[in-house]
Structures are given as structure tokens and as C-alpha cells.
Amino acid sequence: MLRKLRAPLPRIPWTRSSSSSSSTSSSSSFEPHDTWKWLIRQQVWDTFRMKQRRFPVFDDPQAAAEKVRKLPEFREAQCLYVSPDAPQRPMRAMVLTNQKKLLVSRLPKGLFTMMDPVHLSDFDTMKALEQPEFKMDGIPIGLDARMRVQLLVTGSVAVDPKTGARLGKGEGYFDMEYAILRHLNIVNESTLVVTTVHDDQLVIDLPEDKLLKYDVPVDVICTPKRTIYTQTKIPKPSDGILWECVPRHMLSKMPVLRELKDAVEKKREAAVEMAAKTDPPLIAPIETGPAIFIKSLNPTLTEQELKSHLEQHGLAAEELSLYRTGTGKNVARAVIAQGTDVEKCVTAIDNTKLKGWIMRARRDKHTKEEEPPPDPAMVARQAAAQRIRGTRFF
């Protein structure tokens, strides 16, 4: 339940028009769907009289960190992620001084670094706490990490206390970090996302309908004066990294991201090869016509989406069955009309991409092969041979 605020929140005006007079030269260079975000960011940066692409450094961030420390989730957490920015320095100090493990991002050059206070000397701890931005070396966390993070703490440029909609610096780092953590199963849907900000960064009526599918909302907002539970209804991204949304410049300057993408593609190819060796059992074979077996499908794919994809490639299925195998994989069986060139249909849809997955198709081996019409000459010879075998010779 959202707590009643003692004072009204500042309402920062914004406009959907990219030609607004408040638009800056930097915001006009971005995509139109992001223009409104840059207008709000710029007004917050102007309020704090600071440069762009930074989280505002506000007075008394220690008080905001203290609000986080009082959360039940903080007390129960053993490992916390905290963004490596200057406003979160007291928060990183709070984690280490409370003898909890600290996970910090190393993007774009690396992945994550973990600091365990058990293995840190007092000198190393003090050195880490004195840095405005986290730059100390710790235990590197690779793509094969097996760990859990119970709480995420990040900064924001602007955040809506009613909906939990959040605007970052505009570089997409936290959204990418969250996607990687979900991909590696280090966090899940229930992992609390907290942001520490100043009260002047609270902006009401952020248009949540204009947020993108990879934008991460926040569950709790901690300011030097209050703790706000947003009760957000905005879904957190659950599909891991949305590769179709990753810009090329981010891939080019993040070696670890390219490595992760290569690992995902190799794993997918291995799964395809394994599935090709052992075909999953099918539901009762359909005898109405030739069928095509389709595998390597996105687990979230619906039957209607698959049917539309097949129609776009010229395949009209008379019957379509989409079901999950015992190993949790999605497969499908499409029955086509009699007389249709099966091999041509297979070639049309094989290796096509649907919802980020490359599907594989082949003629269903459980379908009876169509027999060619009998040769009249052969029929005549067989009949003659039968008559000869039935003739008695004395």
C-alpha cells in the first residue's frame, strides 16, 4: 500500500512533442519514442545543475542508505547488488559494514565483481568506501556463476512514486545488468529492486504505457526523508536479454556481451542437434494428410503466432498442434492438404526465425509416404504372372 505523503510531490512538466523548446540538442539526436524521457532527464539535471548522463549527487545520501538498511529484505539478504555510481557510495558502505557480500557491475569492460568483507582487510574496506565511484578489484563473476542476489539497489534520474516507473541515465546499463542477472538465474521476479534518490527526483505521472519492454521498474524508493512502496504493476523483464533490442554500439564496446551471445547461440545449436537425434513422441498420428514436424520453438510461442508465421511463408496448415514435450521443449505438428509438395513446404519454413528462435522443420516420419499411382504395364504383367501360376500343366 502506498503511504500517504506529507507534502505534494513536484510535478515536472513534459511534452510529447520532439520540437518542444525545452528539448536540447542531445535529446533530439535520439529516437522519437525516447524523446519524452530525455526531456524529463534534462529538467532534473537542470534542477541539480549538473552534467548529463549522471545520477544526481544529492545532499545526505547517507540518510537514504539508512532507509534501505531498515528494510526487512536488507536484514535477511546475504548478497546485494549496488550500482557503482557516486550517489550509492553510502549504500555500498552500508553493505560491507554490515558484513554482507557486495556485487557491483563492471560494464562495459567486464561483467560483475563481488566483494566479501570476510576476505577484506580493514584497509581494503576503507579504500573501497572512500571512492566516489566503485573501482576496486574483487572476485570476478563469470558467465558460469552459481549464486543468488537477494536485493538490488540502483540510482535513478527520475522515478514515479505511484507506479515505480524509473528513468536512468539513458545508457541502458542497469536494464542490461538486470537482464544478464536474470539470464544467469542470479535474480528472479521476486527479487526486490530499490532506488535511492532525492525527493526532488520524484516525478508523478510518468507515462508507463510508453515504457519499453526492457525497462525495469522499482519496488521501493528510499529518499533522505521517506520510504515509498510503489506497489508497481509494471512487469519486470522476464526473458533475460532481448537480443533484438541490443544496439550494435553496445555489443561493440562490451566484450562480455558478445561472449554471452556466442554462448547462447552455441547452446541453442547443441540443443537442436540433440533434438534431431531423438524425436519426441507425438500425440496420436493424424491420417488426414501429410504432416510437417517443427521443433526448436520459443517456449512462450502461442499456436496463433506459429500459424501466422507459417502463413507468411506460404504454408496453410489444415490442422496445427503445438505442445510441450516431457523435457519442457515446444514442438509442433502441422498437417497440410493432400497433394501439397511437402519438401517445398519444409524448405520454406526450415531455419526461419520466430521470436528470437530459429525453428527446424522436416517431414513427419509418422506420416505414411504417398504411394505413386501404379504403372498400367506393371499391373498387366503382374496379372499375367498370376494367371500363369494358377494354370495347371500336365
Side-chain angles (χ1 to χ4, degrees):
M1 181 177 179
L2 181 63
R3 300 183 180 183
K4 186 177 180 180
L5 305 176
R6 297 180 181 177
L9 297 173
R11 182 185 293 271
I12 298 181
W14 60 275
T15 175
R16 289 183 173 86
S17 173
S18 60
S19 59
S20 171
S21 58
S22 61
S23 174
T24 62
S25 59
S26 62
S27 64
S28 62
S29 62
F30 288 86
E31 295 295 330
H33 65 262
D34 273 347
T35 301
W36 67 271
K37 292 183 179 181
W38 287 97
L39 294 174
I40 296 176
R41 289 186 183 109
Q42 188 59 53
Q43 293 182 53
V44 173
W45 287 325
D46 291 343
T47 301
F48 286 86
R49 298 180 180 180
M50 59 174 296
K51 295 181 179 180
Q52 295 182 352
R53 300 183 182 275
R54 293 288 186 273
F55 289 142
V57 179
F58 53 89
D59 295 333
D60 203 8
Q62 181 68 34
E66 186 64 29
K67 294 288 194 300
V68 179
R69 188 185 68 83
K70 294 180 180 179
L71 296 176
E73 291 80 3
F74 180 89
R75 293 194 295 269
E76 298 172 1
Q78 298 178 354
C79 182
L80 293 86
Y81 163 90
V82 183
S83 63
D85 301 282
Q88 281 66 53
R89 176 173 56 176
M91 190 66 246
R92 296 191 293 273
M94 192 75 68
V95 172
L96 293 176
T97 55
N98 280 266
Q99 299 300 303
K100 298 179 183 294
K101 296 178 182 179
L102 173 64
L103 188 72
V104 182
S105 170
R106 305 295 284 175
L107 293 179
K109 296 182 179 180
L111 190 57
F112 296 100
T113 292
M114 187 184 71
M115 297 190 71
D116 190 343
V118 175
H119 303 121
L120 290 177
S121 65
D122 293 339
F123 174 79
D124 290 335
T125 303
M126 291 302 299
K127 186 178 179 181
L129 302 184
E130 291 173 356
Q131 294 178 352
E133 295 187 1
F134 190 87
K135 296 181 181 179
M136 280 201 65
D137 294 328
I139 303 172
I141 302 299
L143 299 178
D144 56 347
R146 297 291 183 269
M147 58 180 297
R148 299 293 293 181
V149 167
Q150 291 80 29
L151 189 64
L152 300 166
V153 184
T154 185
S156 301
V157 173
V159 62
D160 191 328
K162 292 184 178 180
T163 65
R166 169 190 174 273
L167 297 186
K169 296 176 288 187
E171 297 180 336
Y173 279 161
F174 178 68
D175 296 330
M176 178 57 68
E177 291 156 7
Y178 182 85
I180 294 175
L181 291 173
R182 285 296 294 263
H183 177 82
L184 299 178
N185 293 319
I186 294 178
V187 301
N188 55 32
E189 179 72 23
S190 62
T191 306
L192 205 69
V193 179
V194 183
T195 186
T196 55
V197 296
H198 190 270
D199 290 80
D200 289 342
Q201 294 173 251
L202 302 178
V203 181
I204 58 177
D205 295 336
L206 287 180
E208 57 181 294
D209 59 318
K210 288 187 173 294
L211 294 176
L212 302 177
K213 56 185 176 181
Y214 51 78
D215 287 329
V216 182
V218 298
D219 301 296
V220 182
I221 303 171
C222 292
T223 76
K225 298 181 180 179
R226 67 193 88 178
T227 299
I228 303 172
Y229 290 85
T230 64
Q231 302 294 334
T232 181
K233 296 181 180 179
I234 303 173
K236 296 175 183 175
S238 59
D239 295 332
I241 302 173
L242 304 174
W243 295 108
E244 67 274 14
C245 300
V246 179
R248 292 183 179 180
H249 70 84
M250 185 172 285
L251 279 172
S252 63
K253 69 178 182 179
M254 294 186 182
V256 67
L257 203 56
R258 297 196 301 271
E259 180 183 351
L260 181 57
K261 186 177 182 180
D262 292 341
V264 170
E265 291 178 350
K266 289 180 180 179
K267 186 176 181 181
R268 184 177 301 170
E269 291 174 358
V272 170
E273 293 178 0
M274 181 63 67
K277 294 179 181 178
T278 56
D279 293 329
L282 295 176
I283 298 176
I286 303 173
E287 302 296 341
T288 55
I292 296 175
F293 178 72
I294 308 170
K295 59 188 176 183
S296 186
L297 298 174
N298 191 307
T300 64
L301 185 67
T302 65
E303 191 170 299
Q304 185 58 42
E305 290 173 335
L306 178 58
K307 185 176 182 180
S308 300
H309 180 77
L310 297 181
E311 291 175 351
Q312 291 175 5
H313 289 79
L315 193 156
E318 291 186 342
E319 296 184 38
L320 182 64
S321 302
L322 178 65
Y323 52 95
R324 190 176 295 272
T325 67
T327 57
K329 298 177 181 178
N330 268 8
V331 295
R333 189 174 189 269
V335 179
I336 56 180
Q338 288 283 3
T340 305
D341 190 339
V342 181
E343 297 303 326
K344 184 177 180 181
C345 293
V346 169
T347 304
I349 64 173
D350 191 33
N351 286 318
T352 58
K353 192 172 184 180
L354 178 59
K355 294 191 73 172
W357 286 57
I358 299 176
M359 67 169 58
R360 302 305 307 272
R362 61 164 174 77
R363 185 189 182 101
D364 183 15
K365 64 168 62 175
H366 297 271
T367 302
K368 293 182 179 180
E369 296 287 343
E370 297 179 6
E371 296 181 359
D375 183 7
M378 178 63 70
V379 172
R381 286 194 297 270
Q382 290 176 348
Q386 184 67 29
R387 288 195 302 270
I388 292 173
R389 285 194 295 270
T391 303
R392 297 181 65 182
F393 293 91
F394 296 94

